[in-house]
Amino acid sequence: MTIQAIAIDDELPALKLIENFCSKVEGIQLQKTFNVPAEAFKHIGKYPVDLLFLDINMPSVTGTDFYRSLQQEAMVIFTTAHAEYAVEGFNLNAVDYLLKPFTFERFQQAVQKAQQLILSRQTHPTATPPLIFRVDYGLTRVQVSEILFIEGLDDYLKIHLHQQPPLIVRMTMKAVIEKLPPQSFMRVHRSYIVALSRVEQVRNKTIYIAGHEIPVSSSYETAFFSQFGQQ
């Protein structure tokens, strides 16, 4: 499959660079470039695309606002010279975030992520999108299927992953459970959320997952055993 893409940036040299880079990457066709966002918006309405290369800091409209206003579904790779916009970009489930000036190798890496995402959607059309966590002053993308359980530590969470080191993130239990698919995860204790598919054994109000013992508190006991019995 060839990815159909457009590029939007108020700076013409930036568009020329993306056009040049796209010509060197297999599996992507850059339909057009736009330095006026309104024209790009009209184009997408007539000719849907798979991917946008979208500058964030434009005078008429920000790239994030432009992307939010789209009626059609499309992937986005944000481009900008301002690192402080990265968090907002990832919160919109951007495929990637290219900080100007970026190299061809970095550009190619971003396109490959888009290609892999399309392949994943074709193979697993109902796959749950990954979660984005702030870790050590950076952003980390986590596949929901890799989460074993989540442990609450005061104002932090310890996210235990399959065959990977755990992640420490600053987030509340309430906030993270709102992001998780309710049919797959359940809170079993004030300090624990478990992935139901990862539960290996339950004995005497204790859940066993990958060598860890997780208590089931009395306030969550009835709901847990009811839902776990339906898995």
Side-chain angles (χ1 to χ4, degrees):
M1 175 186 176
T2 298
I3 293 177
Q4 300 295 321
I6 63 172
I8 308 164
D9 198 306
D10 61 306
E11 298 178 354
L12 293 178
L15 293 174
K16 287 293 184 183
L17 181 67
I18 292 175
E19 192 172 10
N20 179 37
F21 283 175
C22 280
S23 68
K24 299 178 180 179
V25 178
E26 292 186 5
I28 185 166
Q29 179 181 352
L30 188 66
Q31 292 181 356
K32 291 189 72 174
T33 62
F34 299 89
N35 69 333
V36 178
E39 294 178 1
F41 196 85
K42 291 179 183 177
H43 176 86
I44 297 170
K46 294 181 179 179
Y47 310 102
V49 297
D50 304 308
L51 175 65
L52 310 177
F53 295 100
L54 182 55
D55 183 33
I56 289 183
N57 192 27
M58 295 183 289
S60 59
V61 61
T62 66
T64 49
D65 284 345
F66 180 95
Y67 187 62
R68 287 191 188 95
S69 68
L70 288 182
Q71 301 299 313
Q72 300 85 357
E73 183 178 351
M75 299 179 294
V76 63
I77 295 174
F78 285 116
T79 64
T80 184
H82 303 277
E84 62 268 23
Y85 293 120
V87 174
E88 187 175 7
F90 274 106
N91 284 341
L92 290 173
N93 287 325
V95 173
D96 209 339
Y97 180 95
L98 296 175
L99 187 61
K100 299 176 183 178
F102 47 85
T103 64
F104 172 70
E105 288 73 21
R106 183 67 184 86
F107 177 87
Q108 188 176 32
Q109 182 184 41
V111 172
Q112 286 173 347
K113 287 183 180 180
Q115 292 169 332
Q116 291 167 1
L117 183 57
I118 286 181
L119 181 61
S120 175
R121 287 175 178 174
Q122 291 174 341
T123 308
H124 307 286
T126 59
T128 303
L131 301 179
I132 306 299
F133 295 105
R134 179 178 286 279
V135 180
D136 294 334
Y137 305 102
L139 296 170
T140 298
R141 194 185 300 267
V142 174
Q143 296 296 333
V144 172
S145 60
E146 295 298 308
I147 299 175
L148 300 176
F149 65 95
I150 298 172
E151 182 180 359
L153 306 169
D154 295 325
D155 294 332
Y156 293 85
L157 299 179
K158 189 174 185 179
I159 302 174
H160 296 260
L161 303 171
H162 177 61
Q163 296 182 346
Q164 301 174 55
L167 299 178
I168 305 297
V169 302
R170 188 176 181 86
M171 181 181 285
T172 64
M173 295 287 278
K174 181 178 183 296
V176 75
I177 201 148
E178 289 175 353
K179 293 177 175 290
L180 296 167
Q183 71 277 11
S184 303
F185 289 83
M186 192 166 190
R187 192 167 186 174
V188 299
H189 186 277
R190 181 174 58 86
S191 301
Y192 291 98
I193 296 168
V194 300
L196 294 171
S197 64
R198 296 288 186 173
V199 176
E200 299 165 0
Q201 185 181 14
V202 182
R203 189 172 67 242
N204 298 329
K205 294 187 181 181
T206 300
I207 296 170
Y208 294 84
I209 299 178
H212 297 272
E213 298 183 6
I214 301 163
V216 180
S217 69
S218 56
S219 57
Y220 295 97
E221 180 183 358
T222 301
F224 167 72
F225 282 106
S226 175
Q227 186 163 343
F228 181 64
Q230 299 175 11
Q231 294 296 301

PDB file of all heavy atoms in Angstrom, residues 28 40 46 54 73 78 91 94 100 109 112 121 129 137 145 160 170-171 175 178 198 203 208 224 231:
ATOM      1  N   ILE A  28       5.359   6.008  -0.170  1.00  0.00           N
ATOM      2  CA  ILE A  28       4.642   7.232   0.180  1.00  0.00           C
ATOM      3  C   ILE A  28       4.575   8.151  -1.028  1.00  0.00           C
ATOM      4  O   ILE A  28       5.564   8.325  -1.750  1.00  0.00           O
ATOM      5  CB  ILE A  28       5.298   7.961   1.378  1.00  0.00           C
ATOM      6  CG1 ILE A  28       4.452   9.173   1.793  1.00  0.00           C
ATOM      7  CG2 ILE A  28       6.723   8.376   1.076  1.00  0.00           C
ATOM      8  CD1 ILE A  28       4.819   9.741   3.142  1.00  0.00           C
ATOM      9  N   ALA A  40      -5.470  23.677   2.152  1.00  0.00           N
ATOM     10  CA  ALA A  40      -5.260  22.262   2.477  1.00  0.00           C
ATOM     11  C   ALA A  40      -6.551  21.649   3.008  1.00  0.00           C
ATOM     12  O   ALA A  40      -6.889  20.500   2.687  1.00  0.00           O
ATOM     13  CB  ALA A  40      -4.145  22.130   3.509  1.00  0.00           C
ATOM     14  N   LYS A  46     -12.093  17.128  -0.457  1.00  0.00           N
ATOM     15  CA  LYS A  46     -12.358  16.522  -1.772  1.00  0.00           C
ATOM     16  C   LYS A  46     -11.540  15.248  -1.996  1.00  0.00           C
ATOM     17  O   LYS A  46     -12.007  14.316  -2.643  1.00  0.00           O
ATOM     18  CB  LYS A  46     -12.038  17.535  -2.881  1.00  0.00           C
ATOM     19  CG  LYS A  46     -12.939  18.749  -2.903  1.00  0.00           C
ATOM     20  CD  LYS A  46     -12.548  19.687  -4.048  1.00  0.00           C
ATOM     21  CE  LYS A  46     -13.448  20.903  -4.100  1.00  0.00           C
ATOM     22  NZ  LYS A  46     -13.065  21.835  -5.196  1.00  0.00           N
ATOM     23  N   LEU A  54       2.435  18.164   9.172  1.00  0.00           N
ATOM     24  CA  LEU A  54       1.738  19.371   9.588  1.00  0.00           C
ATOM     25  C   LEU A  54       2.572  20.204  10.549  1.00  0.00           C
ATOM     26  O   LEU A  54       2.914  19.753  11.644  1.00  0.00           O
ATOM     27  CB  LEU A  54       0.408  18.962  10.242  1.00  0.00           C
ATOM     28  CG  LEU A  54      -0.544  20.047  10.725  1.00  0.00           C
ATOM     29  CD1 LEU A  54      -0.891  21.027   9.612  1.00  0.00           C
ATOM     30  CD2 LEU A  54      -1.813  19.404  11.281  1.00  0.00           C
ATOM     31  N   GLU A  73     -10.687  11.022   8.980  1.00  0.00           N
ATOM     32  CA  GLU A  73      -9.638  10.401   9.782  1.00  0.00           C
ATOM     33  C   GLU A  73      -8.345  10.355   8.980  1.00  0.00           C
ATOM     34  O   GLU A  73      -8.319   9.919   7.827  1.00  0.00           O
ATOM     35  CB  GLU A  73     -10.042   8.984  10.180  1.00  0.00           C
ATOM     36  CG  GLU A  73      -9.024   8.303  11.079  1.00  0.00           C
ATOM     37  CD  GLU A  73      -9.463   6.919  11.508  1.00  0.00           C
ATOM     38  OE1 GLU A  73     -10.625   6.558  11.238  1.00  0.00           O
ATOM     39  OE2 GLU A  73      -8.645   6.205  12.111  1.00  0.00           O
ATOM     40  N   PHE A  78       3.646  15.730  13.120  1.00  0.00           N
ATOM     41  CA  PHE A  78       3.817  17.164  13.350  1.00  0.00           C
ATOM     42  C   PHE A  78       5.269  17.568  13.113  1.00  0.00           C
ATOM     43  O   PHE A  78       6.202  16.821  13.425  1.00  0.00           O
ATOM     44  CB  PHE A  78       3.404  17.541  14.773  1.00  0.00           C
ATOM     45  CG  PHE A  78       1.922  17.565  14.990  1.00  0.00           C
ATOM     46  CD1 PHE A  78       1.314  16.678  15.868  1.00  0.00           C
ATOM     47  CD2 PHE A  78       1.126  18.482  14.323  1.00  0.00           C
ATOM     48  CE1 PHE A  78      -0.059  16.691  16.068  1.00  0.00           C
ATOM     49  CE2 PHE A  78      -0.257  18.509  14.522  1.00  0.00           C
ATOM     50  CZ  PHE A  78      -0.844  17.612  15.394  1.00  0.00           C
ATOM     51  N   ASN A  91      -0.518  14.087  22.592  1.00  0.00           N
ATOM     52  CA  ASN A  91      -1.850  13.928  23.159  1.00  0.00           C
ATOM     53  C   ASN A  91      -2.912  13.755  22.073  1.00  0.00           C
ATOM     54  O   ASN A  91      -4.004  13.241  22.340  1.00  0.00           O
ATOM     55  CB  ASN A  91      -2.212  15.125  24.043  1.00  0.00           C
ATOM     56  CG  ASN A  91      -1.518  15.072  25.389  1.00  0.00           C
ATOM     57  OD1 ASN A  91      -1.064  14.018  25.816  1.00  0.00           O
ATOM     58  ND2 ASN A  91      -1.431  16.203  26.061  1.00  0.00           N
ATOM     59  N   ALA A  94      -0.429  11.680  17.650  1.00  0.00           N
ATOM     60  CA  ALA A  94       0.396  11.853  16.456  1.00  0.00           C
ATOM     61  C   ALA A  94       1.284  10.628  16.254  1.00  0.00           C
ATOM     62  O   ALA A  94       1.738  10.006  17.210  1.00  0.00           O
ATOM     63  CB  ALA A  94       1.257  13.105  16.596  1.00  0.00           C
ATOM     64  N   LYS A 100      12.399  20.547  13.957  1.00  0.00           N
ATOM     65  CA  LYS A 100      13.241  21.175  12.934  1.00  0.00           C
ATOM     66  C   LYS A 100      14.542  21.695  13.541  1.00  0.00           C
ATOM     67  O   LYS A 100      14.527  22.198  14.670  1.00  0.00           O
ATOM     68  CB  LYS A 100      12.490  22.343  12.284  1.00  0.00           C
ATOM     69  CG  LYS A 100      11.193  21.966  11.578  1.00  0.00           C
ATOM     70  CD  LYS A 100      10.507  23.223  11.065  1.00  0.00           C
ATOM     71  CE  LYS A 100       9.177  22.917  10.409  1.00  0.00           C
ATOM     72  NZ  LYS A 100       8.479  24.133   9.944  1.00  0.00           N
ATOM     73  N   GLN A 109      12.397   7.533   9.581  1.00  0.00           N
ATOM     74  CA  GLN A 109      11.938   6.801  10.759  1.00  0.00           C
ATOM     75  C   GLN A 109      10.474   7.123  11.056  1.00  0.00           C
ATOM     76  O   GLN A 109       9.678   6.236  11.393  1.00  0.00           O
ATOM     77  CB  GLN A 109      12.811   7.164  11.960  1.00  0.00           C
ATOM     78  CG  GLN A 109      12.456   6.417  13.235  1.00  0.00           C
ATOM     79  CD  GLN A 109      13.297   6.892  14.413  1.00  0.00           C
ATOM     80  OE1 GLN A 109      13.551   8.089  14.577  1.00  0.00           O
ATOM     81  NE2 GLN A 109      13.749   5.968  15.227  1.00  0.00           N
ATOM     82  N   GLN A 112       8.216   5.408   8.525  1.00  0.00           N
ATOM     83  CA  GLN A 112       8.145   3.973   8.807  1.00  0.00           C
ATOM     84  C   GLN A 112       7.156   3.685   9.931  1.00  0.00           C
ATOM     85  O   GLN A 112       6.445   2.680   9.917  1.00  0.00           O
ATOM     86  CB  GLN A 112       9.532   3.435   9.161  1.00  0.00           C
ATOM     87  CG  GLN A 112      10.454   3.320   7.958  1.00  0.00           C
ATOM     88  CD  GLN A 112      11.878   2.948   8.341  1.00  0.00           C
ATOM     89  OE1 GLN A 112      12.270   2.996   9.514  1.00  0.00           O
ATOM     90  NE2 GLN A 112      12.677   2.591   7.350  1.00  0.00           N
ATOM     91  N   ARG A 121      -3.168  -1.778  11.690  1.00  0.00           N
ATOM     92  CA  ARG A 121      -4.616  -1.587  11.607  1.00  0.00           C
ATOM     93  C   ARG A 121      -5.243  -2.582  10.634  1.00  0.00           C
ATOM     94  O   ARG A 121      -6.365  -3.046  10.848  1.00  0.00           O
ATOM     95  CB  ARG A 121      -4.930  -0.160  11.164  1.00  0.00           C
ATOM     96  CG  ARG A 121      -4.687   0.886  12.253  1.00  0.00           C
ATOM     97  CD  ARG A 121      -4.891   2.280  11.719  1.00  0.00           C
ATOM     98  NE  ARG A 121      -4.710   3.276  12.761  1.00  0.00           N
ATOM     99  CZ  ARG A 121      -4.727   4.597  12.540  1.00  0.00           C
ATOM    100  NH1 ARG A 121      -4.935   5.052  11.309  1.00  0.00           N
ATOM    101  NH2 ARG A 121      -4.548   5.446  13.535  1.00  0.00           N
ATOM    102  N   PRO A 129      -5.499   1.709  20.568  1.00  0.00           N
ATOM    103  CA  PRO A 129      -4.368   2.595  20.323  1.00  0.00           C
ATOM    104  C   PRO A 129      -3.440   2.655  21.534  1.00  0.00           C
ATOM    105  O   PRO A 129      -3.881   2.455  22.670  1.00  0.00           O
ATOM    106  CB  PRO A 129      -5.028   3.958  20.070  1.00  0.00           C
ATOM    107  CG  PRO A 129      -6.381   3.856  20.702  1.00  0.00           C
ATOM    108  CD  PRO A 129      -6.783   2.423  20.584  1.00  0.00           C
ATOM    109  N   TYR A 137      11.069  13.232  31.805  1.00  0.00           N
ATOM    110  CA  TYR A 137      11.082  14.449  30.987  1.00  0.00           C
ATOM    111  C   TYR A 137      10.896  14.177  29.500  1.00  0.00           C
ATOM    112  O   TYR A 137      11.084  15.058  28.666  1.00  0.00           O
ATOM    113  CB  TYR A 137      12.377  15.254  31.204  1.00  0.00           C
ATOM    114  CG  TYR A 137      12.631  15.585  32.653  1.00  0.00           C
ATOM    115  CD1 TYR A 137      13.559  14.861  33.389  1.00  0.00           C
ATOM    116  CD2 TYR A 137      11.923  16.598  33.300  1.00  0.00           C
ATOM    117  CE1 TYR A 137      13.791  15.137  34.728  1.00  0.00           C
ATOM    118  CE2 TYR A 137      12.138  16.880  34.634  1.00  0.00           C
ATOM    119  CZ  TYR A 137      13.074  16.154  35.344  1.00  0.00           C
ATOM    120  OH  TYR A 137      13.292  16.431  36.662  1.00  0.00           O
ATOM    121  N   SER A 145      -1.579  -3.790  25.309  1.00  0.00           N
ATOM    122  CA  SER A 145      -1.463  -5.244  25.451  1.00  0.00           C
ATOM    123  C   SER A 145      -0.215  -5.668  26.230  1.00  0.00           C
ATOM    124  O   SER A 145      -0.130  -6.818  26.680  1.00  0.00           O
ATOM    125  CB  SER A 145      -1.443  -5.902  24.073  1.00  0.00           C
ATOM    126  OG  SER A 145      -0.344  -5.429  23.305  1.00  0.00           O
ATOM    127  N   HIS A 160       3.825  -1.934  35.292  1.00  0.00           N
ATOM    128  CA  HIS A 160       4.588  -3.166  35.078  1.00  0.00           C
ATOM    129  C   HIS A 160       4.261  -3.707  33.693  1.00  0.00           C
ATOM    130  O   HIS A 160       3.082  -3.897  33.346  1.00  0.00           O
ATOM    131  CB  HIS A 160       4.238  -4.204  36.152  1.00  0.00           C
ATOM    132  CG  HIS A 160       4.620  -3.783  37.534  1.00  0.00           C
ATOM    133  ND1 HIS A 160       5.765  -4.230  38.167  1.00  0.00           N
ATOM    134  CD2 HIS A 160       4.016  -2.935  38.412  1.00  0.00           C
ATOM    135  CE1 HIS A 160       5.844  -3.691  39.377  1.00  0.00           C
ATOM    136  NE2 HIS A 160       4.787  -2.906  39.550  1.00  0.00           N
ATOM    137  N   ARG A 170       4.088  10.100  36.619  1.00  0.00           N
ATOM    138  CA  ARG A 170       3.338  10.952  37.559  1.00  0.00           C
ATOM    139  C   ARG A 170       1.893  11.046  37.071  1.00  0.00           C
ATOM    140  O   ARG A 170       1.592  11.774  36.119  1.00  0.00           O
ATOM    141  CB  ARG A 170       3.979  12.337  37.640  1.00  0.00           C
ATOM    142  CG  ARG A 170       3.376  13.212  38.735  1.00  0.00           C
ATOM    143  CD  ARG A 170       4.104  14.540  38.848  1.00  0.00           C
ATOM    144  NE  ARG A 170       3.543  15.360  39.889  1.00  0.00           N
ATOM    145  CZ  ARG A 170       3.886  15.296  41.174  1.00  0.00           C
ATOM    146  NH1 ARG A 170       4.813  14.433  41.553  1.00  0.00           N
ATOM    147  NH2 ARG A 170       3.331  16.076  42.068  1.00  0.00           N
ATOM    148  N   MET A 171       1.014  10.271  37.692  1.00  0.00           N
ATOM    149  CA  MET A 171      -0.388  10.216  37.293  1.00  0.00           C
ATOM    150  C   MET A 171      -1.175   9.553  38.406  1.00  0.00           C
ATOM    151  O   MET A 171      -0.628   8.756  39.173  1.00  0.00           O
ATOM    152  CB  MET A 171      -0.526   9.434  35.975  1.00  0.00           C
ATOM    153  CG  MET A 171      -1.932   9.332  35.432  1.00  0.00           C
ATOM    154  SD  MET A 171      -2.031   8.363  33.887  1.00  0.00           S
ATOM    155  CE  MET A 171      -1.342   9.537  32.745  1.00  0.00           C
ATOM    156  N   ALA A 175      -6.957   8.759  36.870  1.00  0.00           N
ATOM    157  CA  ALA A 175      -6.670   9.247  35.525  1.00  0.00           C
ATOM    158  C   ALA A 175      -6.277   8.117  34.580  1.00  0.00           C
ATOM    159  O   ALA A 175      -6.700   8.089  33.421  1.00  0.00           O
ATOM    160  CB  ALA A 175      -5.554  10.290  35.574  1.00  0.00           C
ATOM    161  N   GLU A 178      -9.183   5.708  33.442  1.00  0.00           N
ATOM    162  CA  GLU A 178     -10.066   6.312  32.441  1.00  0.00           C
ATOM    163  C   GLU A 178      -9.520   6.131  31.030  1.00  0.00           C
ATOM    164  O   GLU A 178     -10.270   6.200  30.056  1.00  0.00           O
ATOM    165  CB  GLU A 178     -10.272   7.796  32.748  1.00  0.00           C
ATOM    166  CG  GLU A 178     -11.128   8.056  33.979  1.00  0.00           C
ATOM    167  CD  GLU A 178     -11.235   9.522  34.337  1.00  0.00           C
ATOM    168  OE1 GLU A 178     -10.516  10.333  33.692  1.00  0.00           O
ATOM    169  OE2 GLU A 178     -12.012   9.865  35.238  1.00  0.00           O
ATOM    170  N   ARG A 198      -3.952 -11.101  31.890  1.00  0.00           N
ATOM    171  CA  ARG A 198      -2.628 -11.469  32.410  1.00  0.00           C
ATOM    172  C   ARG A 198      -2.708 -12.205  33.750  1.00  0.00           C
ATOM    173  O   ARG A 198      -1.684 -12.652  34.266  1.00  0.00           O
ATOM    174  CB  ARG A 198      -1.770 -10.208  32.588  1.00  0.00           C
ATOM    175  CG  ARG A 198      -1.454  -9.480  31.283  1.00  0.00           C
ATOM    176  CD  ARG A 198      -0.464 -10.257  30.461  1.00  0.00           C
ATOM    177  NE  ARG A 198      -0.035  -9.514  29.277  1.00  0.00           N
ATOM    178  CZ  ARG A 198       0.931  -9.916  28.461  1.00  0.00           C
ATOM    179  NH1 ARG A 198       1.570 -11.049  28.719  1.00  0.00           N
ATOM    180  NH2 ARG A 198       1.259  -9.204  27.396  1.00  0.00           N
ATOM    181  N   ARG A 203      -5.929 -16.945  44.271  1.00  0.00           N
ATOM    182  CA  ARG A 203      -6.050 -17.837  45.429  1.00  0.00           C
ATOM    183  C   ARG A 203      -6.082 -17.018  46.715  1.00  0.00           C
ATOM    184  O   ARG A 203      -5.213 -16.176  46.928  1.00  0.00           O
ATOM    185  CB  ARG A 203      -4.871 -18.823  45.462  1.00  0.00           C
ATOM    186  CG  ARG A 203      -5.036 -19.919  46.512  1.00  0.00           C
ATOM    187  CD  ARG A 203      -3.968 -21.006  46.414  1.00  0.00           C
ATOM    188  NE  ARG A 203      -2.647 -20.503  46.750  1.00  0.00           N
ATOM    189  CZ  ARG A 203      -1.616 -20.482  45.908  1.00  0.00           C
ATOM    190  NH1 ARG A 203      -1.768 -20.911  44.667  1.00  0.00           N
ATOM    191  NH2 ARG A 203      -0.452 -20.021  46.296  1.00  0.00           N
ATOM    192  N   TYR A 208      -2.123 -13.597  41.042  1.00  0.00           N
ATOM    193  CA  TYR A 208      -0.741 -13.877  40.649  1.00  0.00           C
ATOM    194  C   TYR A 208      -0.560 -13.517  39.170  1.00  0.00           C
ATOM    195  O   TYR A 208      -1.261 -14.038  38.301  1.00  0.00           O
ATOM    196  CB  TYR A 208      -0.413 -15.356  40.872  1.00  0.00           C
ATOM    197  CG  TYR A 208      -0.432 -15.754  42.336  1.00  0.00           C
ATOM    198  CD1 TYR A 208      -1.634 -16.098  42.969  1.00  0.00           C
ATOM    199  CD2 TYR A 208       0.741 -15.764  43.088  1.00  0.00           C
ATOM    200  CE1 TYR A 208      -1.664 -16.441  44.310  1.00  0.00           C
ATOM    201  CE2 TYR A 208       0.720 -16.104  44.439  1.00  0.00           C
ATOM    202  CZ  TYR A 208      -0.484 -16.441  45.043  1.00  0.00           C
ATOM    203  OH  TYR A 208      -0.509 -16.779  46.378  1.00  0.00           O
ATOM    204  N   PHE A 224     -14.655  -7.831  40.981  1.00  0.00           N
ATOM    205  CA  PHE A 224     -13.547  -8.526  40.305  1.00  0.00           C
ATOM    206  C   PHE A 224     -13.900  -9.963  39.978  1.00  0.00           C
ATOM    207  O   PHE A 224     -13.742 -10.404  38.834  1.00  0.00           O
ATOM    208  CB  PHE A 224     -12.272  -8.493  41.164  1.00  0.00           C
ATOM    209  CG  PHE A 224     -11.214  -9.446  40.660  1.00  0.00           C
ATOM    210  CD1 PHE A 224     -10.527  -9.169  39.485  1.00  0.00           C
ATOM    211  CD2 PHE A 224     -10.933 -10.608  41.347  1.00  0.00           C
ATOM    212  CE1 PHE A 224      -9.567 -10.058  39.002  1.00  0.00           C
ATOM    213  CE2 PHE A 224      -9.970 -11.497  40.872  1.00  0.00           C
ATOM    214  CZ  PHE A 224      -9.289 -11.224  39.698  1.00  0.00           C
ATOM    215  N   GLN A 231     -14.238 -14.027  31.834  1.00  0.00           N
ATOM    216  CA  GLN A 231     -13.148 -13.936  30.845  1.00  0.00           C
ATOM    217  C   GLN A 231     -12.980 -15.255  30.101  1.00  0.00           C
ATOM    218  O   GLN A 231     -13.197 -16.322  30.633  1.00  0.00           O
ATOM    219  CB  GLN A 231     -11.820 -13.574  31.550  1.00  0.00           C
ATOM    220  CG  GLN A 231     -11.840 -12.195  32.161  1.00  0.00           C
ATOM    221  CD  GLN A 231     -11.993 -11.087  31.137  1.00  0.00           C
ATOM    222  OE1 GLN A 231     -11.151 -10.966  30.240  1.00  0.00           O
ATOM    223  NE2 GLN A 231     -13.049 -10.305  31.238  1.00  0.00           N
TER     224      GLN A 231
END
